[in-house]
Amino acid sequence: MQDAGLDLTAPDLTASERERILAKSALFDPPGIALPDGRRDLVGLSREELAAEMAVIGEKPFRAKQLWHWIYHQGATEFSRMNSIAKPLQVKLAERFVIQRPEIATQQTSTDDTRKFLFRFRDGQEAETVYIPDRVEDRGAVCISSQVGCTLSCRFCHTGTQKLARNLGAAEIVGQFMAARDSYGEWPSPKGDTPRLLSTIVLMGMGEPLYNYANVAKAMRIVMDGEGIALSRRRITLSTSGVVPMMDRAGDELGVNLAVSLHAVRDDLRDELVPLNRKYPIKELLAACRRYPAASNARRITFEYVMLKGINDTEADARELVRLIAGMPAKVNLIPFNPWPGSAYETSTKPAIDKFARIVMDAGFASPVRDPRGQDILAACGQLRTESRREPRL
Ligand code: SAH
Ligand code: SF4
């Protein structure tokens, strides 16, 4: 864009890089959808796949539409509840299929009403999901995991110390949201502008969603489908550490809101904090943000910036930050660092955070400081799965 010498549009290069990322990601795919008894889970299938399952058992395509409604609009988990389907077919379906939720290994509710779930999947792998209710209104965000562990190793992030075990499948990603909805009894899916308690999804749990793009995209398409859960793309935010080649695709295909974990304004520091920066440096990352198709003044890009004492929190850092993002429809989310046992950093002081926020705000960008929630149950980002791993397994 502004820089000669750096061809930011090089389509062939980007396309081949994208193929490489998708192929690598497929190596970490979850186990198949069949249970040991041979029944298949219908959750997480696309509409086309659901229709194909119906075709295999000799049923017409409209059955897939009916099932879709029962599974994603009504939240049914039993075929026997589906009173628009005749009994014999209910029985036939139950012999061959299941509608599953991930098992809740533990569930804790904070004194501030934040609720954390540890879900256990069929192969025993676990991931966390957090529901963060608004303090005032009856709405809230569900923070969803996309992988068990992470291939990246951001220095301040606890997930980064856990090797990637595997990607979560579409069923496991959408299943986190559905199980959280079960917990609040929010079925059937509220229609249109009807308020929702679980009103937004943030892909900010464990893992890098753009290194599991196929499953994340499939899950988000299910969640956004107007005849099911029907959550608007405007209510979904995908957070990435900066997988540049996949950002365009996510914007084009899903049109969800984008959050970018920036955390540093110079490449030398970002190389250290977010090692992926060595591959996709700040300049390329910001160029990808500038061309992100789903961004506008109404739907700004969120830059996440973890406040690390004495590392990235000076006034000069703040001024450089606003220079870098000048002209973008953006806001800056300042996240007080959340320490974990063995972490090498400290949280910035309150005056340092306030000063930083003021500079960003004076430059015309909203700069909310993330309100620490669920601290008594360790529900914060980067802390997920830490404590529960220490509990003895039953
Ligand atoms: N992998 C994605 C999304 C998951 S992390 C990403 O990196 O964006 C969600 C957010 O939590 C990121 O901005 C991440 O940098 C931040 N985070 C991770 N560990 C943290 C910690 N210990 N304290 C504060 N924020 C943290
Ligand atoms: Fe992975 Fe995000 Fe943690 Fe970095 S911050 S290690 S990308 S989960």
Side-chain angles (χ1 to χ4, degrees):
M1 267 179 185
Q2 309 103 321
D3 300 285
L6 179 64
D7 183 358
L8 296 168
T9 47
D12 295 344
L13 235 175
T14 312
S16 64
E17 180 73 353
R18 243 193 322 256
E19 290 318 310
R20 196 190 60 76
I21 291 171
L22 288 167
K24 194 169 167 203
S25 163
L27 299 176
F28 290 94
D29 262 351
I33 62 169
L35 271 60
D37 65 9
R39 288 182 301 164
R40 295 161 74 78
D41 191 0
L42 294 181
V43 176
L45 300 184
S46 65
R47 275 177 176 273
E48 296 72 29
E49 287 168 339
L50 193 56
E53 293 288 344
M54 290 305 104
V56 169
I57 61 162
E59 292 297 328
K60 299 229 163 60
F62 83 93
R63 294 293 179 197
K65 200 175 154 71
Q66 279 183 321
L67 281 169
W68 191 273
H69 177 86
W70 280 110
I71 298 171
Y72 297 113
H73 178 70
Q74 298 288 357
T77 51
E78 301 291 338
F79 294 102
S80 57
R81 248 196 74 197
M82 302 182 176
N83 57 20
S84 60
I85 295 176
K87 268 271 173 293
L89 180 54
Q90 289 179 3
V91 173
K92 180 174 165 188
L93 289 169
E95 279 165 8
R96 293 166 173 82
F97 303 110
V98 289
I99 301 163
Q100 281 213 325
R101 298 284 190 267
E103 176 196 341
I104 299 180
T106 57
Q107 174 180 317
Q108 291 166 280
T109 305
S110 158
T111 49
D112 71 10
D113 292 333
T114 297
R115 186 170 294 178
K116 182 169 83 165
F117 305 88
L118 176 70
F119 289 119
R120 188 173 299 145
F121 303 106
R122 282 207 287 274
D123 62 351
Q125 292 291 352
E126 295 171 341
E128 286 194 351
T129 305
V130 183
Y131 173 63
I132 308 145
D134 190 89
R135 287 199 192 272
V136 186
E137 291 179 47
D138 280 346
R139 58 185 163 85
V142 186
C143 179
I144 284 180
S145 295
S146 56
Q147 299 182 305
V148 180
C150 189
T151 47
L152 301 169
S153 42
C154 303
R155 288 282 296 277
F156 50 84
C157 173
H158 188 263
T159 305
T161 65
Q162 304 166 29
K163 205 165 134 259
L164 177 68
R166 66 169 174 82
N167 286 330
L168 293 179
E172 295 166 333
I173 296 169
V174 67
Q176 293 172 60
F177 184 70
M178 295 172 85
R181 284 264 298 259
D182 291 347
S183 155
Y184 289 90
E186 193 168 61
W187 297 106
S189 295
K191 282 197 165 163
D193 292 332
T194 314
R196 294 170 182 245
L197 205 53
L198 284 70
S199 59
T200 55
I201 288 181
V202 293
L203 284 153
M204 293 186 184
M206 296 171 65
E208 169 49 58
L210 293 185
Y211 274 157
N212 183 19
Y213 181 72
N215 290 308
V216 167
K218 196 171 172 193
M220 292 306 111
R221 285 197 180 101
I222 292 172
V223 163
M224 293 189 287
D225 187 292
E227 290 178 24
I229 294 170
L231 199 65
S232 153
R233 63 198 159 86
R234 294 162 202 281
R235 305 239 166 263
I236 299 173
T237 299
L238 183 150
S239 175
T240 180
S241 56
V243 185
V244 167
M246 301 308 297
M247 286 165 61
D248 301 277
R249 175 164 292 193
D252 284 336
E253 294 184 351
L254 304 176
V256 295
N257 302 320
L258 183 70
V260 172
S261 295
L262 189 62
H263 307 318
V265 293
R266 298 186 326 267
D267 279 324
D268 60 337
L269 181 59
R270 194 163 188 273
D271 282 351
E272 194 188 315
L273 297 178
V274 185
L276 185 65
N277 194 67
R278 295 179 203 148
K279 203 175 241 167
Y280 308 115
I282 293 175
K283 200 185 273 180
E284 282 185 40
L285 175 59
L286 293 178
C289 292
R290 285 184 195 277
R291 59 174 188 259
Y292 189 71
S296 67
N297 274 332
R299 299 179 61 204
R300 291 166 294 172
I301 292 177
T302 303
F303 287 98
E304 295 163 277
Y305 198 94
V306 62
M307 299 297 294
L308 304 170
K309 185 177 180 178
I311 305 283
N312 65 354
D313 62 351
T314 66
E315 293 177 43
D317 289 312
R319 280 192 291 273
E320 178 61 5
L321 174 60
V322 298
R323 196 188 69 80
L324 287 175
I325 64 173
M328 265 194 242
K331 65 177 169 201
V332 178
N333 196 351
L334 299 176
I335 316 174
F337 170 63
N338 193 17
W340 36 274
S343 60
Y345 302 104
E346 286 176 72
T347 314
S348 300
T349 62
K350 190 166 183 316
I353 297 178
D354 290 345
K355 218 177 275 172
F356 198 106
R358 168 59 55 196
I359 293 170
V360 176
M361 207 148 41
D362 286 349
F365 298 99
S367 57
V369 178
R370 189 177 292 172
D371 172 14
R373 298 291 299 273
Q375 286 194 314
D376 53 330
I377 57 165
L378 299 172
C381 295
Q383 195 106 58
L384 301 184
R385 210 172 64 140
T386 323
E387 281 303 297
S388 52
R389 290 312 264 187
R390 292 200 205 108
E391 281 171 16
R393 297 282 190 83
L394 298 174

